[in-house]
Amino acid sequence: MAAELFEGQYVWHPAADDRVLASVCVDVRAGRHRYACEALAETRSDFALRAHRSLVLASEAAGTDLVERWLAEEPSPEAALMWARVAVQRAMRAADARDGRAEALERIALAACERAAALAPDDPTPWVAKLTMARLHQLREPAPQGLLTAPPGPWRLFAHILSLDPWHREAHHRFLSFFFTRHGGTVNAAWDVAAFLSQRAPVDSALRLLPLVALVESYNPTQLLADRVWEQPQWRSTALAAYRKWLPTVAGSRFTPVLDLAYLAHALVMGQSEFEARAVFAAMGPYASRMPWSAFGDPAEQLSRARRACGLPVPGPA
């Protein structure tokens, strides 16, 4: 799906150009689930779209009783999946806020994930939702051979997801985040895992961007020449390889992969490859994501700064 042209304003909604999803988000906010069910049911054979839609819809529904009513009225795989997604979001928010209800909400979320997995055994999405909670317990299973730091983690759960969908984008990102320093990991472990996962992915896969995600996560503005790291040969080559191999595949996507494009555009700009970054921004159209820009300051300001570096228009004063 080709993104729309930039017409002077950023569009921050996570649905991006998935118009079905954007419309269903309105219904969910109004307390209706009929079209949400239809929008998810049509993704049963497209796990990437299923993950994307269910995650966005869960963020809209988490503060309401919509999924509880939906599950009671229509206990379908889609209702169970949404219940798992919402329950996990609630559990993670409670844990991060050190809410006293966190343990109870986690038990509910685990049960919801198991129910969704039982209703759709071939669907990796409930298992990906469960993987989100792995950092709450810092699972320490031994790493497979091939990693320099051999970091322990939730390797068995991740392996099960890969048995269902070997290149599941969200699963890889959830798994990598387990090793981030803010979740108890280390910079070296995160880089090691990112390199390991990206190198085994197809050359035209968005998973080749994982090292750039780990690089943003490790950014420390107090370090000497922190902003020059992206100019180093290994990071420039990673970004340019994704530009050559992955970017041409984006036009065939069912929705614009805004977050992946943003990481690529950011890396290219920081690596002094503004010409290539222009094409990435063109593929993004008006759609914007808060990461990676928010790691460096106000996301709108950082995005505009990057676009200006490429000679592209930015939103005018409000």
Side-chain angles (χ1 to χ4, degrees), residues 122-186:
D122 296 329
D123 183 2
T125 323
W127 298 99
V128 176
K130 187 176 181 180
L131 181 62
T132 306
M133 296 187 289
R135 67 177 172 85
L136 298 181
H137 303 290
Q138 286 295 300
L139 296 178
R140 298 294 182 183
E141 298 158 3
Q145 293 183 347
L147 287 95
L148 294 175
T149 59
W155 290 97
R156 281 199 293 268
L157 176 55
F158 184 55
H160 177 69
I161 296 170
L162 299 191
S163 72
L164 298 173
D165 185 359
W167 315 120
H168 197 285
R169 182 201 175 278
E170 185 185 343
H172 281 75
H173 281 263
R174 295 287 184 194
F175 185 70
L176 175 60
S177 72
F178 179 91
F179 301 95
F180 290 165
T181 55
R182 58 190 163 98
H183 295 156
T186 67

Side-chain angles (χ1 to χ4, degrees), residues 73-98:
E73 296 170 13
E74 181 192 341
S76 64
E78 284 65 43
L81 175 59
M82 281 300 299
W83 172 227
R85 284 293 210 179
V86 165
V88 167
Q89 285 201 16
R90 290 172 180 167
M92 297 307 295
R93 290 174 184 174
D96 290 341
R98 300 185 184 279

Side-chain angles (χ1 to χ4, degrees), residues 69-80 115 119:
R69 291 189 288 106
W70 181 359
L71 195 61
E73 296 170 13
E74 181 192 341
S76 64
E78 284 65 43
R115 177 174 182 174
L119 287 176

Side-chain angles (χ1 to χ4, degrees), residues 201-262:
V203 295
D204 61 350
S205 169
L207 298 178
R208 289 282 176 152
L209 297 167
L210 287 171
L212 302 179
V213 176
L215 186 59
V216 169
E217 185 66 25
S218 68
Y219 175 71
N220 181 353
T222 66
Q223 291 181 340
L224 185 65
L225 301 177
D227 289 345
R228 304 293 296 274
V229 172
W230 283 264
E231 298 176 32
Q232 294 178 6
Q234 70 267 35
W235 304 120
R236 290 193 80 244
S237 64
T238 297
L240 290 171
Y243 166 78
R244 291 191 299 268
K245 299 293 186 179
W246 171 68
L247 183 63
T249 72
V250 169
S253 302
R254 290 192 64 180
F255 61 92
T256 299
V258 179
L259 186 57
D260 291 327
L261 288 167

Side-chain angles (χ1 to χ4, degrees), residues 6-10 281 299-318:
F6 177 78
E7 295 182 349
Q9 296 297 326
Y10 300 134
F281 282 124
E301 292 177 3
Q302 294 296 316
L303 174 55
S304 292
R305 179 182 177 184
R307 287 180 63 92
R308 287 192 196 98
C310 298
L312 296 172
V314 301

